Amino acid sequence: GVLTPEGKWGPLSFMKLTHEAFRGNMNTLKHYIDVANVEDDSAEAIENLGLFAAHFNRFCIVHEEHAKHEDEVIFKIFNDYFPEHAKKYNDDHAEDHAKLEHWRKLANQLLNTKCDVATRKAALDELRGDLPAFFQHFEEHLRGEEDNLNPIGRKYLPIALMVQMSRKVWELTDAKKWEIIVPFIILGLPRHPMRIRYLKVLMWALPERAQQIGAIVYRNVDAVMWERLRTVVPEMVPRGAPGWKRYY
């Protein structure tokens, strides 16, 4: 057989895993936009609209924060090494944010029963017309970052600098947003080893935040998922929860 070496990972690997969660969430959004129907007042149709809007709002929040992490911390360092190498992706972030904010308002309009059906249907039609092309563009954007920027981190940056960057990323976003981002990624990743890797990478750079991160996970996943995660990453069990141990 042919030896396939395990993929390398480091303190910045949480960024690539965030990309994988975006991909998983885009599949979810495609499903709900396909089944959305503002002319059907059944409980199932109303629930589908609510789920689409909720998923899309979370997508927009995570996109905004992830872009901030890249623009203000990660790509700033990459550009220090290779001037303007990340400029295209910085520009994409600004343009995509404006589009997503417009579509987020349309998604929320789907739930506004004070609007007439024609207005809500026009919002749904616009979302159905625009989002597939955006998802294709965004996949190309993610792949472009992974192919053209991630190697800078892997091949040029020392571990100490990557840890420093990860810590700056954490400080850049407030706790309320991490309460959305961490579950988005955990639930959006397609494979359980990726979820474990995401948590271990965060705690590599932020060991003193392990129980804070664990508390976020504990509050936002079901009991089965929590058990599967905490048995492999026991250091994240928050104080008072079964399995908690003093870590200092």
Side-chain angles (χ1 to χ4, degrees):
V2 177
L3 173 65
T4 303
E6 186 176 354
K8 292 182 180 179
W9 61 290
L12 292 180
S13 295
F14 71 92
M15 302 297 283
K16 171 67 162 59
L17 291 167
T18 302
H19 287 190
E20 294 298 343
F22 274 129
R23 291 180 173 111
N25 201 256
M26 282 193 286
N27 289 332
T28 300
L29 288 170
K30 288 173 186 175
H31 165 73
Y32 282 116
I33 196 67
D34 282 346
V35 300
N37 186 349
V38 296
E39 298 173 294
D40 184 351
D41 60 1
S42 68
E44 182 180 3
I46 292 169
E47 181 182 23
N48 285 336
L49 288 175
L51 286 168
F52 170 73
H55 280 292
F56 194 68
N57 271 284
R58 283 194 288 267
F59 184 96
C60 292
I61 290 168
V62 178
H63 177 274
E64 181 178 10
E65 294 303 309
H66 181 70
K68 190 195 305 181
H69 297 160
E70 291 180 332
D71 291 343
E72 298 184 28
V73 180
I74 310 296
F75 293 175
K76 181 180 181 297
I77 298 295
F78 291 175
N79 284 330
D80 288 346
Y81 276 73
F82 299 95
E84 296 196 345
H85 190 67
K87 185 177 185 305
K88 175 192 182 305
Y89 305 99
N90 294 133
D91 292 344
D92 278 355
H93 292 160
E95 293 171 11
D96 291 349
H97 173 71
K99 293 175 183 177
L100 286 168
E101 182 59 20
H102 170 67
W103 293 326
R104 185 187 65 80
K105 292 175 181 176
L106 293 181
N108 289 337
Q109 193 174 76
L110 300 180
L111 306 180
N112 186 358
T113 54
K114 293 181 181 178
C115 293
D116 58 59
V117 172
T119 300
R120 295 167 67 210
K121 187 174 186 306
L124 179 58
D125 289 344
E126 184 174 344
L127 288 165
R128 278 203 178 121
D130 291 347
L131 286 181
F134 172 77
F135 291 149
Q136 182 177 350
H137 150 78
F138 191 53
E139 171 59 39
E140 292 168 0
H141 169 89
L142 298 176
R143 180 61 62 192
E145 290 182 343
E146 292 160 7
D147 291 345
N148 297 298
L149 300 180
N150 285 14
I152 298 174
R154 289 200 309 271
K155 296 184 179 295
Y156 289 89
L157 304 188
I159 293 289
L161 180 55
M162 288 192 279
V163 167
Q164 183 185 108
M165 292 160 70
S166 298
R167 296 180 70 84
K168 285 183 178 179
V169 162
W170 182 269
E171 294 296 336
L172 196 60
T173 292
D174 66 43
K176 289 181 180 179
K177 297 287 180 62
W178 283 115
E179 193 81 25
I180 296 168
I181 294 168
V182 172
F184 177 95
I185 295 168
I186 292 293
L187 299 174
L189 288 170
R191 298 176 58 241
H192 195 65
M194 290 180 170
R195 301 181 191 114
I196 300 297
R197 178 63 49 84
Y198 175 73
L199 293 169
K200 285 184 174 290
V201 164
L202 278 186
M203 292 168 202
W204 182 349
L206 297 152
E208 76 283 6
R209 298 275 188 178
Q211 292 184 13
Q212 179 188 355
I213 295 165
I216 293 172
V217 177
Y218 184 78
R219 288 190 291 265
N220 290 282
V221 301
D222 63 33
V224 174
M225 177 69 78
W226 171 250
E227 282 300 308
R228 294 182 70 203
L229 293 170
R230 70 107 182 166
T231 54
V232 185
V233 195
E235 63 270 30
M236 76 171 180
V237 177
R239 189 182 188 97
W244 171 77
K245 293 181 180 179
R246 190 184 299 274
Y247 77 97
Y248 56 84

